[in-house]
Amino acid sequence: MVKEEVACGPGGRVVIMDSITKVTPDDEGSFVVTASHGGTSSGEFALAVPLSGVFFNDAGVGKDGAGIAALGLLQGRGIPAGTVSHTSARIGDAPDMWENGCISYLNEAARGLGIEIGASLKDSLERLVRS
């Protein structure tokens, strides 16, 4: 199970993890990239630790938007969140999400950071933490 810091700078740090269940208090203030789906249960794990932002796999979005439901949940707390397309990165594989993930959905808090749909997740987050 992968969990590692992949970027760091004046704007914070990025931690990737195969599963959001691996988030701990040590990750507080980080941008977390998790290869978990963006469903409500994943959002609840993300709320357990104060994060600067969190990005999931959209898991094909699913019935009634179940694969991206965490974005609204996190927006309710003002936490930037988004997903990468399941066609750009494998679900459950954080290194693949980091290297190949293309942003598919964002909440308003993430848009407020200047992140854009269609952009590379890695490029977007590296820009944020290095500025």
Side-chain angles (χ1 to χ4, degrees):
M1 183 78 43
V2 171
K3 181 176 179 179
E4 67 179 291
E5 183 177 303
V6 292
C8 181
R13 66 188 191 120
V14 178
V15 176
I16 66 170
M17 56 188 72
D18 288 337
S19 173
I20 192 63
T21 64
K22 300 304 178 191
V23 70
T24 68
D26 291 339
D27 302 314
E28 183 173 340
S30 298
F31 289 96
V32 167
V33 172
T34 175
S36 294
H37 62 76
T40 303
S41 61
S42 295
E44 290 169 355
F45 275 100
L47 287 173
V49 176
L51 301 172
S52 292
V54 61
F55 293 83
F56 305 94
N57 192 298
D58 71 18
V61 182
K63 183 177 180 181
D64 299 325
I68 61 171
L71 277 57
L73 179 67
L74 293 160
Q75 177 63 37
R77 299 273 186 94
I79 300 168
T83 59
V84 301
S85 172
H86 68 287
T87 61
S88 69
R90 290 183 292 275
I91 299 167
D93 186 339
D96 189 49
M97 291 242 325
W98 180 243
E99 291 299 325
N100 301 304
C102 180
I103 297 170
S104 56
Y105 295 90
L106 295 167
N107 66 14
E108 288 304 313
R111 283 189 173 97
L113 296 175
I115 300 171
E116 298 179 353
I117 291 173
S120 157
L121 177 65
K122 180 178 181 179
D123 292 347
S124 298
L125 292 182
E126 284 182 335
R127 177 186 51 79
L128 280 176
V129 300
R130 295 211 168 109
S131 60

